Amino acid sequence: MQAAARAREATGFSFVTDVYDMKLAPYAVCDENSRGRRFAESPPRYRSEFQRDRDRIVHSAAFRRLEYKTQVFVNHEGDMYRTRLTHSLEVAQIGRAIARILHLNEDLTESIALAHDLGHTPFGHAGQEALNRCMADYGGFEHNLQSLRVVDELEEKYADFNGLNLNFETREGILKHCAVMDARDLGDVGERFINKQQPSLEAQLANVADEIAYNSHDVDDGLRAGLISVEQLCEVNLFREQYEHVINSYPGLPRRRVIHEVVRRIIDRQVSDLVDSSRARIMEAAPGAIDDIRSAPHALIGFGDGMKQLNLELKRFLRKALYRHYRVMRMSAKADRVITSLFEVFMNDARLLPPEYEGKMKTQSEANGVAGRARVVADYIAGMTDRYAIGEYERLFDPMKAT
Ligand code: MG
């Protein structure tokens, strides 16, 4: 109570648990305290600045392509698995719910969640690793940086600028992590990595919502695919607690419903812990404005110690049992071969690229030589969906296929 009273005194604001109270906390990002867009635009007439950001993301080409990009399971393995698109929607849903209860900016949280994976290569992490290896001598490839590149440069839709011209806070949230070396080239969004500052609470929240979403849905998808079993998962405390609760409360419940009940309870437990722990930390720090969030020594949004451990245990299990399952590894090996071959073929002969890349190739290689050429090839490959990449591979390597 003492902390709550202090927080109220410092900020003139106190938490209420009514989710219909839309009043933003004084340290939330809002249109008034936003650092704005790179290119000045007149304010939207019927929306907030961050609603506009969200809408631009939803209407982007990169967002539509998420539908055919892998999360863990390659798109053609089945219609029921998560893709990057449904993953991003789940992150947005979890993020929004928490943003509202903590009186943070829901539209910003949603924008970051919907855009956070826009720079992902086809074939999930295997694709990212392969492309990063191909780009080792040319500045590397990192999907966070690429997501920012998509919204800052690669979308070509607007008359007045390249990219989507999003607000600083949305771009800052998309750039989840970044090496100091890369940060120097990024201007305003890179500064916090150099100055060791925190991003907005909305960015911190979208980051944890991402984790909650993928840990939970990978359990669901892994079980559905038969790559992991309930018996194995019962070694994981977070799963076993909820599983035992469900089968004891509903004896004879069909398996699919049991799994859904368990997964939704796992999400609920993590979300509840996140809300309670973050709220306690915010009250303790008693920030008065967004600058206090940025200069705080650590992130204020996060799990409590107990949940941090449970979460870590689940992650370790998934890494060992699911992400390194031999069937996932086989798919990763194929993905690696496709990405590496495409990269080599386009680097050896840029004339094989679609004609719209000709101009970019010319400008980039004049400016940055071979590294510039490599970046254009990486942008082309990173933008591909799983099935487009497979199609390109066939068109380039299978003599019987039309080109
Ligand atoms: Mg994600």
Side-chain angles (χ1 to χ4, degrees):
M1 277 317 283
Q2 233 177 358
R6 234 179 331 122
R8 207 172 306 124
E9 208 169 288
T11 64
F13 172 85
S14 70
F15 280 114
V16 273
T17 46
D18 179 359
V19 291
Y20 298 104
D21 179 349
M22 304 292 280
K23 192 173 175 231
L24 287 183
Y27 41 80
V29 173
C30 59
D31 287 8
E32 289 70 32
N33 66 21
S34 168
R35 294 196 201 168
R37 303 175 190 278
R38 294 209 290 175
F39 305 99
E41 290 186 62
S42 46
R45 281 175 69 194
Y46 307 113
R47 299 170 288 178
S48 73
E49 291 284 357
F50 293 97
Q51 281 179 297
R52 178 188 257 177
D53 278 6
R54 184 219 30 226
D55 298 346
R56 287 186 177 181
I57 293 160
V58 168
H59 289 274
S60 71
F63 184 72
R64 288 196 295 280
R65 285 194 220 115
L66 294 176
E67 184 175 2
Y68 297 105
K69 288 197 183 200
T70 295
Q71 185 69 25
V72 174
F73 299 89
V74 174
N75 195 274
H76 58 250
E77 287 185 29
D79 294 342
M80 291 296 283
Y81 300 118
R82 267 73 172 186
T83 65
R84 292 243 168 240
L85 181 65
T86 58
H87 162 68
S88 301
L89 295 175
E90 289 182 25
V91 177
Q93 177 273 315
I94 291 169
R96 280 193 78 124
I98 301 170
R100 188 178 290 198
I101 201 87
L102 293 179
H103 295 268
L104 300 175
N105 189 325
E106 275 186 66
D107 299 319
L108 171 58
T109 308
E110 185 181 22
S111 299
I112 298 169
L114 294 177
H116 84 284
D117 271 353
L118 289 181
H120 253 290
T121 60
F123 313 121
H125 288 282
Q128 131 101 24
E129 275 167 33
L131 198 50
N132 188 29
R133 199 165 359 86
C134 295
M135 289 293 287
D137 294 335
Y138 316 113
F141 179 89
E142 208 279 318
H143 68 87
N144 265 295
L145 279 170
Q146 190 69 9
S147 296
L148 187 67
R149 199 167 151 71
V150 167
V151 301
D152 278 357
E153 300 289 337
L154 298 181
E155 284 285 321
E156 295 176 327
K157 306 171 79 77
Y158 297 88
D160 294 327
F161 43 77
N162 275 344
L164 307 177
N165 198 29
L166 302 179
N167 281 293
F168 169 83
E169 292 76 10
T170 309
R171 300 169 56 234
E172 165 196 61
I174 292 172
L175 193 65
K176 222 170 6 185
H177 31 246
C178 174
V180 174
M181 208 176 64
D182 295 326
R184 294 190 215 284
D185 302 328
L186 293 174
D188 54 2
V189 276
E191 280 165 20
R192 77 178 162 97
F193 298 97
I194 299 163
N195 303 335
K196 309 246 174 302
Q197 285 191 311
Q198 310 300 326
S200 71
L201 291 182
E202 288 83 355
Q204 297 178 25
L205 170 54
N207 192 7
V208 189
D210 182 23
E211 244 183 72
I212 295 176
Y214 69 68
N215 282 332
S216 320
H217 65 48
D218 287 352
V219 165
D220 191 30
D221 282 352
L223 284 168
R224 186 186 302 277
L227 300 186
I228 50 177
S229 66
V230 166
E231 291 65 39
Q232 273 177 302
L233 270 162
C234 281
E235 293 163 22
V236 178
N237 286 303
L238 191 58
F239 184 92
R240 195 190 54 248
E241 279 171 16
Q242 304 309 319
Y243 179 73
E244 283 173 357
H245 181 76
V246 171
I247 52 166
N248 291 334
S249 312
Y250 302 95
L253 191 68
R255 186 187 132 92
R256 278 286 354 139
R257 287 192 195 224
V258 170
I259 292 168
H260 183 75
E261 284 290 340
V262 174
V263 171
R264 83 180 182 96
R265 282 170 162 80
I266 289 176
I267 296 174
D268 184 66
R269 268 217 63 192
Q270 294 182 88
V271 167
S272 306
D273 183 274
L274 186 70
V275 168
D276 293 342
S277 308
S278 304
R279 186 183 275 160
R281 252 179 244 131
I282 294 169
M283 282 170 144
E284 185 58 39
I290 179 129
D291 286 343
D292 302 329
I293 304 291
R294 297 191 185 284
S295 58
H298 49 77
L300 298 177
I301 302 286
F303 295 125
D305 289 339
M307 184 52 75
K308 223 183 267 171
Q309 278 311 314
L310 290 172
N311 196 277
L312 199 63
E313 192 194 16
L314 173 59
K315 267 190 181 162
R316 284 203 186 113
F317 169 83
L318 287 171
R319 197 178 315 137
K320 197 173 90 195
L322 181 62
Y323 310 143
R324 294 192 189 146
H325 190 282
Y326 85 97
R327 275 175 51 203
V328 175
M329 298 299 287
R330 280 183 179 195
M331 196 56 232
S332 302
K334 278 198 258 189
D336 193 299
R337 222 167 294 136
V338 171
I339 300 280
T340 311
S341 312
L342 289 176
F343 186 83
E344 278 171 9
V345 102
F346 292 128
M347 279 304 276
N348 287 338
D349 191 347
R351 292 171 306 176
L352 303 180
L353 284 165
E356 61 267 30
Y357 281 82
E358 201 179 314
K360 284 181 198 171
M361 203 42 133
K362 197 163 174 281
T363 343
Q364 277 278 5
S365 43
E366 273 167 19
N368 299 313
V370 65
R373 261 173 52 210
R375 188 58 60 192
V376 176
V377 172
D379 286 341
Y380 179 46
I381 294 176
M384 293 178 184
T385 61
D386 296 1
R387 60 180 188 175
Y388 184 86
I390 294 168
E392 272 294 73
Y393 182 83
E394 287 173 351
R395 284 187 289 275
L396 285 156
F397 292 97
D398 183 348
M400 301 300 285
K401 279 266 173 199
T403 54

